[in-house]
């Protein structure tokens, strides 16, 4: 049956059909908006959960700084004074015997050089403790940045700026904090090695001087005879040879550790440049230029 216009009464141009079409379109749009909101909520929950997992993992890692600080060895600060009080008398006996043995030109500068390399290890242990405290501060600072953003910014803001800052935080800034932590750990370990090398050197030098000094001095009264002089010279030469070997070994260790500290210093300079974000680092547009730069999560779609 047709109407006066020749069109079916329920055709596409009829009011009833158009009303049904509008209702169907509105229903589909509402459903699409609902699905979009559900997907957005699921994505936000996934990001929050992942952030919580990441924060838990990082907190467990960062807690190691406090444990390292608590477990570090403290050395008796009076150790160096007691060692030096033993070293001075022994070295004076060795120098006197070397002079009598006519080896003063070579021997005395070598003894002076050996004594110049003696150092107080407590200073380096104290520097190690300072770096461990800096490591703990680094971990706490990184934790503050991480938790502040994901608890006070990310849940409430969307948009290009939020996404950009989140990427920078996840993939650059926290990584740079971690790298600084690794550098601080390596420097702390290097200073620990340096301190114990100094302890070993001091101890070895004290053993050498306190054992050879009395022997050399006991041979001095016999230096008036040819056999006695030859024996004194041989003993003094043997002492100087051992002394030079000890000094040479210690210089080699110090050189290796110095090169390592130099390399770590270069890494720190590079990281300092990376931490300087500058105006164009994040490539964010000026405020007001892009309406989607910062978008509140509660804003109506």
């Amino acid at each position: 049956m047709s109407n006066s216009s020749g069109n079916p009464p329920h055709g596409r141009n009829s009011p009833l059909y158009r009303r049904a079409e509008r209702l169907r379109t509105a229903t589909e749009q509402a459903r699409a908006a609902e699905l979009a909101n559900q997907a957005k909520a699921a994505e936000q929950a996934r990001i929050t959960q992942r952030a919580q997992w990441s924060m838990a993992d990082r907190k467990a890692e960062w807690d190691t700084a406090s444990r390292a600080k608590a477990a570090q060895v403290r050395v008796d600060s009076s150790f160096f004074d007691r060692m030096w009080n033993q070293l001075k008398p022994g070295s004076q006996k060795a120098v006197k015997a070397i002079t009598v043995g006519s080896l003063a030109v070579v021997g005395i500068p070598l003894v002076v050089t050996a004594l110049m390399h003696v150092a107080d290890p407590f200073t380096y242990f104290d520097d190690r403790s300072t770096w461990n405290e800096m490591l703990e501060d680094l971990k706490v600072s990184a934790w503050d940045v991480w938790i502040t953003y994901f608890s006070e910014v990310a849940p409430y803001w969307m948009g290009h700026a939020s996404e950009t800052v989140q990427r920078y935080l996840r993939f650059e800034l926290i990584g740079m904090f971690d790298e600084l932590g690794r550098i601080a750990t390596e420097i702390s370990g290097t200073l620990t090695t340096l301190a114990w090398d100094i302890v070993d050197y001091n101890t070895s030098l004290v053993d050498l001087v306190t054992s050879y000094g009395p022997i050399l001095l006991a041979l001095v009264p016999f230096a008036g005879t040819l056999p006695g002089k030859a024996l004194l010279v041989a003993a003094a030469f043997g002492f100087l040879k051992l002394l030079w070997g000890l000094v040479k070994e210690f210089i080699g260790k110090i050189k290796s550790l110095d090169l390592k500290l130099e390399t770590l210093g270069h890494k720190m300079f590079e990281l300092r440049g990376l931490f300087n974000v500058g105006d164009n680092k994040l490539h964010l547009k000026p405020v007001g230029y892009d309406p989607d730069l910062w978008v509140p999560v509660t804003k109506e779609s």
Side-chain angles (χ1 to χ4, degrees):
M1 179 177 180
S2 301
N3 59 14
S4 60
S5 64
N7 293 324
H10 302 294
R12 291 181 177 274
N13 294 326
S14 67
L16 182 62
Y17 181 88
R18 289 197 297 270
R19 187 180 300 115
E21 184 70 17
R22 285 196 298 271
L23 288 174
R24 184 178 64 84
T25 302
T27 302
E28 290 178 350
Q29 290 176 346
R31 179 59 178 166
E34 181 182 358
L35 291 175
N37 290 332
Q38 290 177 355
K40 185 185 300 183
E43 176 65 15
Q44 184 64 36
R46 185 182 64 81
I47 292 175
T48 303
Q49 186 179 39
R50 185 171 61 184
Q52 290 174 347
W53 288 342
S54 299
M55 286 187 288
D57 293 340
R58 290 186 179 277
K59 189 174 187 303
E61 175 188 350
W62 295 341
D63 283 344
T64 58
S66 299
R67 291 195 295 269
K69 178 184 175 182
Q72 62 191 11
V73 178
R74 301 294 296 181
V75 177
D76 183 7
S77 58
S78 63
F79 165 80
F80 178 73
D81 294 332
R82 295 197 304 269
M83 182 276 303
W84 188 252
N85 290 333
Q86 291 180 337
L87 187 59
K88 286 176 63 177
S91 61
Q92 291 172 354
K93 295 176 183 178
V95 167
K96 181 177 180 179
I98 289 171
T99 303
V100 175
S102 302
L103 295 174
V105 175
V106 177
I108 292 179
L110 184 55
V111 173
V112 172
T113 300
L115 294 177
M116 287 175 60
H117 282 84
V118 173
D120 187 355
F122 181 78
T123 302
Y124 299 96
F125 281 117
D126 193 48
D127 290 342
R128 185 270 310 271
S129 300
T130 301
W131 276 97
N132 283 341
E133 293 172 2
M134 291 173 60
L135 173 61
E136 183 179 15
D137 292 340
L138 277 173
K139 300 302 184 182
V140 171
S141 298
W143 169 256
D144 286 343
V145 172
W146 182 273
I147 194 64
T148 298
Y149 179 80
F150 282 104
S151 64
E152 300 183 14
V153 179
Y156 308 107
W157 289 97
M158 301 168 57
H160 302 159
S162 181
E163 295 171 359
T164 301
V165 173
Q166 186 173 145
R167 285 196 302 269
Y168 175 73
L169 180 63
R170 286 181 180 276
F171 303 113
E172 292 191 48
L173 185 62
I174 296 300
M176 289 189 289
F177 269 111
D178 290 342
E179 183 62 25
L180 270 179
R182 283 189 287 270
I183 291 175
T185 301
E186 288 188 48
I187 292 179
S188 174
T190 303
L191 290 173
T192 301
T193 303
L194 175 60
W196 283 113
D197 283 345
I198 290 174
V199 171
D200 291 340
Y201 174 78
N202 292 349
T203 304
S204 299
L205 184 60
V206 170
D207 289 342
L208 183 62
V209 170
T210 55
S211 59
Y212 262 85
I215 295 175
L216 293 175
L217 194 62
L219 295 175
V220 170
F222 304 99
T225 63
L226 188 59
K229 184 65 175 289
L231 186 60
L232 176 60
V233 171
F237 182 80
F239 167 75
L240 293 176
K241 184 177 180 180
L242 292 174
L243 186 63
W244 170 242
L246 181 62
V247 172
K248 186 177 179 181
E249 180 183 3
F250 182 68
I251 290 176
K253 291 180 179 180
I254 296 300
K255 180 180 178 181
S256 176
L257 293 175
D258 181 69
L259 292 175
K260 186 175 181 180
L261 288 174
E262 182 73 9
T263 301
L264 292 173
H266 291 163
K267 289 184 179 180
M268 290 186 65
F269 291 144
E270 293 173 2
L271 277 175
R272 185 172 64 179
L274 293 176
F275 268 99
N276 183 17
V277 175
D279 295 333
N280 300 319
K281 174 70 175 180
L282 299 182
H283 304 289
L284 293 177
K285 298 174 182 179
V287 177
Y289 180 88
D290 183 357
D292 295 326
L293 193 66
W294 288 99
V295 181
V297 172
T298 57
K299 182 179 179 180
E300 294 292 334
S301 301

